[in-house]
Amino acid sequence: TQLLEQSPQFLSIQEGENLTVYCNSSSVFSSLQWYRQEPGEGPVLLVTVVTGGEVKKLKRLTFQFGDARKDSSLHITAAQPGDTGLYLCAGGSGNQFYFGTGTSLTVIP
Amino acid sequence: GAVVSQHPSRVICKSGTSVKIECRSLDFQATTMFWYRQFPKQSLMLMATSNEGSKATYEQGVEKDKFLINHASLTLSTLTVTSAHPEDSSFYICSASGGGSFGNTIYFGEGSWLTVV
């Protein structure tokens, strides 16, 4: 069961553009993680957010956890070809983790 | 940081045979491990939750007799695809919940490509 909906599902942009990926749910999560995955590899953790309204920055990436801890966003500034990959959000509640539907990002040089 | 290792990274097997994939937590003891299946450019689909010392909990639609999961120790879980068919060809990924100092974060293995011919 997919409890987390990501949008957009596919995104193709030019190098240097900005973008935002959304992760929405009707459920409340105690924590939320964002992962980036390249083809043929396992997902790599980017960030974990645990507090409603929390904002974390990782170089050109800005992550925000919604006040109600039901949604999150990932904003990338000045995208680069190296940002290309599948971005996954995952919400944790107790010992359960649920993944978002995924956003496939392609940054064109 | 925490490391989860999968083996083999790639495996080709003949239709009708069985293949085992191992998932090890290298830096911590994982009471819970997760097995996923993934198709190209799609998200991870949870197959089952593996708990050390007890039976795995399978997601709806996943055949437990076909995808055998064993979590015999706190650092090792195995997924055996029995009587494999070409439609079982996929990317299989495991993950482990660190707990303790690693908090509630999931760490992933490198994934295993299974091709059934």
Side-chain angles (χ1 to χ4, degrees), chain A residues 42-43, chain B residues 3-10 21-26 34-36 77 79 91-95 108-113:
Chain B
V3 177
V4 175
S5 177
Q6 258 183 265
H7 177 81
S9 57
R10 289 182 180 274
I21 301 171
E22 294 185 346
C23 178
R24 294 182 183 273
S25 59
L26 302 182
F34 305 89
W35 286 97
Y36 303 86
S77 177
L79 167 67
F91 192 50
Y92 292 88
I93 307 175
C94 72
S95 69
F108 285 89
E110 309 95 332
S112 299
W113 281 105

Side-chain angles (χ1 to χ4, degrees), chain A residues 35 37 42 88 95 97 99-100, chain B residues 32 38 43 104 106 108 110:
Chain A
Y35 296 83
Q37 183 184 25
L88 298 162
N95 203 30
F97 290 87
F99 276 92
Chain B
T32 304
Q38 186 179 33
S43 187
N104 209 27
I106 288 186
F108 285 89
E110 309 95 332

Side-chain angles (χ1 to χ4, degrees), chain A residues 68-102:
Chain A
R69 289 183 291 138
K70 293 182 179 181
D71 54 81
S72 180
S73 64
L74 158 61
H75 183 78
I76 300 179
T77 304
Q80 298 176 2
D83 296 327
T84 294
L86 179 68
Y87 289 81
L88 298 162
C89 65
S93 182
N95 203 30
Q96 295 295 319
F97 290 87
Y98 303 94
F99 276 92
T101 45

Side-chain angles (χ1 to χ4, degrees), chain A residues 1-9 21-25 29 31-35 37 43 70-72 86-92 96-104, chain B residues 36-39 41-46 106 108:
Chain A
T1 304
Q2 290 284 11
L3 300 181
L4 289 158
E5 292 288 334
Q6 282 183 240
S7 61
Q9 185 178 0
V21 177
Y22 298 94
C23 173
N24 295 301
S25 175
F29 295 100
S31 67
L32 194 138
Q33 288 97 32
W34 283 94
Y35 296 83
Q37 183 184 25
K70 293 182 179 181
D71 54 81
S72 180
L86 179 68
Y87 289 81
L88 298 162
C89 65
Q96 295 295 319
F97 290 87
Y98 303 94
F99 276 92
T101 45
T103 296
S104 180
Chain B
Y36 303 86
R37 184 173 180 176
Q38 186 179 33
F39 295 102
K41 293 196 173 183
Q42 293 187 22
S43 187
L44 282 70
M45 182 179 69
L46 180 64
I106 288 186
F108 285 89

